[in-house]
Amino acid sequence: MRIIFLCGGLEPGRDGVGDYTRRLAGKLLEQGHEVAAVALADSNTEQQLAETQHLDGSSISVLRLPHTWPLQKRSAVAREWIDQFDPEWISLQFVCFSFHPKGLNFDLGGHLNLICQGRKLHVMVHELWVGEDTKSFSKEQVLGWLQKATIRLLFKTLAFDAVSTSNSFYQTCLAKIGVDAGQINIFSNLPVGHKPRTGLYDQLPGKVRRNRDQYLIASFFGTSDYRNPDLTIANLKFLAASTDKTLLVTHVGRATGVSNFFLKLSELLNLETHIFGECNDQDIADYFCSTDVGLSTYPKIVFEKSGSIAAMLNNGLPVLLLRDSFVTDERKIDWVEEAHRIGNLDQFMSQKNTFSDNYGVSQAAEKYIRVFESSRSMRIV
């Protein structure tokens, strides 16, 4: 099968959806499909780039178009490049903010019609409009209403042959605007780790490594939401009180505000902390194999859309959520749970790993191919 993935940016390590697209494309190439990718609004280049990107032994043909170009020019160049590749399917990897700085993509549908004309068209909705997680009137809600209007217009303008998203909450939101979407969970944005490799683990304080059985090591990965730090701190206090071990809270990856937040943890709770910063993907995956539990501030209702959570789960690490869901989620998921709902912390951390295979790229790639093969039609009501 010949497939083009269309997303916003494809600078390695600088665009989450771009990294997702590259890893997915690599897996499909490995399975024998012909795959390429187009970045329609790349903010990390000032010129057109036709290049080959490499990941896990795969070489992926990529076209990157600068976001500073007029959309009409980008669309024309993209159409010519895509026509030369001649794909059966184009898969739009959609995030509002990928194609417009405020997520207001009123003219995107018309240009995508030009780019995709005559091809089967799929969309993976990674992000919806903002404001669904707040009930109070705010500028964010106003922006969300406008974004919702542009998304509805996009679906009315384009005749998608298949629609997917990552979680049931988004499926419900899309259904309210007349869009029937299937579900494909986000996969790990890291490779599988190996426990004997201890590169990052060896950077932990010597007293931790010498007395490993006396410590509970919990780790954040990537961007965290500290808009409600009191709740996060309260949940970490609960976590520390739930074990007879010393709690060490670590953070790995790129994120703003981590240093100040960890300083609060040290001052208010007398917790031991360690920040690794940006690291090699394989080193992070290896570190998770030597950690006890993952931490996240994602709400449970949409945890399936987090590549960071998927990365921890794919490496056998159960994840505690330190933020209450903005919509009550009563699902019983053994390996992901809100901290205040954990009855037996030791049992949660030591559970048998029956979940990691659900969060690898192979399963997602298989779901994409099933979607393409079924060629399910979608109707706007």
Side-chain angles (χ1 to χ4, degrees):
M1 192 175 294
R2 295 175 66 82
I3 306 161
I4 285 277
F5 287 104
L6 188 62
C7 60
L10 279 164
E11 175 72 15
R14 296 294 170 183
D15 187 290
V17 173
D19 291 344
Y20 169 98
T21 300
R22 184 169 37 257
R23 190 171 295 277
L24 176 60
K27 179 55 65 174
L28 291 171
L29 283 166
E30 182 184 305
Q31 294 176 354
H33 301 283
E34 298 179 67
V35 186
V38 174
L40 191 60
D42 202 309
S43 60
N44 289 287
T45 181
E46 294 299 323
Q47 59 184 347
Q48 176 181 334
L49 296 175
E51 61 187 25
T52 301
Q53 296 187 352
H54 304 278
L55 180 69
D56 297 337
S58 295
S59 298
I60 306 157
S61 295
V62 166
L63 174 68
R64 298 171 59 190
L65 302 174
H67 76 290
T68 51
W69 281 11
L71 182 54
Q72 185 174 2
K73 180 179 179 180
R74 284 179 273 146
S75 301
V77 173
R79 173 62 191 258
E80 182 178 355
W81 197 83
I82 289 171
D83 281 348
Q84 290 178 358
F85 186 83
D86 194 23
E88 300 167 62
W89 278 91
I90 294 177
S91 178
L92 172 64
Q93 302 293 306
F94 181 77
V95 177
C96 274
F97 293 103
S98 287
F99 304 102
H100 185 276
K102 292 187 180 297
L104 301 178
N105 301 288
F106 285 103
D107 56 350
L108 181 62
H111 288 280
L112 289 178
N113 254 337
L114 168 68
I115 294 170
C116 304
Q117 190 173 24
R119 318 285 181 186
K120 286 190 175 295
L121 183 57
H122 165 258
V123 59
M124 175 66 175
V125 181
H126 289 273
E127 292 277 0
L128 284 178
W129 48 86
V130 300
E132 283 289 339
D133 60 348
T134 179
K135 295 180 181 179
S136 58
F137 182 79
S138 63
K139 290 182 179 179
E140 187 177 59
Q141 274 204 333
V142 174
L143 178 60
W145 294 334
L146 293 171
Q147 290 175 344
K148 184 189 292 189
T150 71
I151 291 174
R152 187 178 180 88
L153 179 61
L154 180 71
F155 279 99
K156 283 186 173 293
T157 304
L158 292 170
F160 288 104
D161 296 277
V163 181
S164 305
T165 191
S166 62
N167 59 87
S168 57
F169 179 72
Y170 279 8
Q171 285 179 300
T172 300
C173 291
L174 287 168
K176 290 178 180 178
I177 62 169
V179 177
D180 180 21
Q183 184 174 343
I184 302 176
N185 290 4
I186 299 300
F187 52 81
S188 170
N189 52 16
L190 296 178
V192 174
H194 306 281
K195 193 165 187 176
R197 300 179 184 173
T198 57
L200 293 185
Y201 178 81
D202 286 344
Q203 296 179 28
L204 292 175
K207 64 177 180 179
V208 175
R209 290 180 281 113
R210 288 191 299 270
N211 302 284
R212 177 64 179 90
D213 59 344
Q214 298 177 24
Y215 279 85
L216 188 162
I217 303 179
S219 188
F220 291 96
F221 174 36
T223 302
S224 296
D225 184 351
Y226 299 124
R227 284 181 294 179
N228 191 349
D230 292 342
L231 178 61
T232 302
I233 289 170
N235 277 318
L236 286 172
K237 184 177 181 180
F238 165 79
L239 178 60
S242 300
T243 177
D244 58 358
K245 297 181 179 181
T246 300
L247 177 62
L248 172 67
V249 180
T250 70
H251 185 282
V252 62
R254 183 175 70 250
T256 57
V258 175
S259 296
N260 289 336
F261 180 70
F262 272 34
L263 183 61
K264 287 183 179 179
L265 293 182
S266 299
E267 293 175 346
L268 296 176
L269 303 182
N270 196 31
L271 289 184
E272 296 186 36
T273 63
H274 187 86
I275 299 173
F276 290 102
E278 292 188 55
C279 304
N280 174 274
D281 285 355
Q282 187 64 59
D283 287 342
I284 299 173
D286 294 344
Y287 174 66
F288 286 156
C289 294
S290 299
T291 307
D292 297 309
V293 66
L295 300 175
S296 176
T297 55
Y298 251 84
K300 183 179 178 181
I301 194 70
V302 291
F303 88 86
E304 296 99 334
K305 81 182 191 72
S306 169
S308 296
I309 291 178
M312 292 187 276
L313 295 172
N314 189 226
N315 281 290
L317 200 61
V319 177
L320 284 174
L321 304 175
L322 304 178
R323 171 185 173 185
D324 290 345
S325 186
F326 57 88
V327 172
T328 301
D329 189 336
E330 298 294 348
R331 290 178 296 171
K332 181 67 175 74
I333 303 168
D334 290 340
W335 49 90
V336 178
E337 188 54 278
E338 293 167 315
H340 70 273
R341 292 177 177 265
I342 296 296
N344 187 320
L345 180 61
D346 289 334
Q347 182 177 340
F348 178 76
M349 292 189 300
S350 62
Q351 65 182 282
K352 184 178 179 180
N353 176 8
T354 60
F355 50 83
S356 59
D357 289 345
N358 297 329
Y359 298 94
V361 64
S362 295
Q363 186 186 71
E366 291 171 4
K367 289 183 178 181
Y368 269 87
I369 294 304
R370 286 202 296 271
V371 167
F372 296 154
E373 288 177 343
S374 67
S375 189
R376 176 173 63 84
S377 295
M378 187 207 72
R379 181 174 65 90
I380 301 295
V381 296

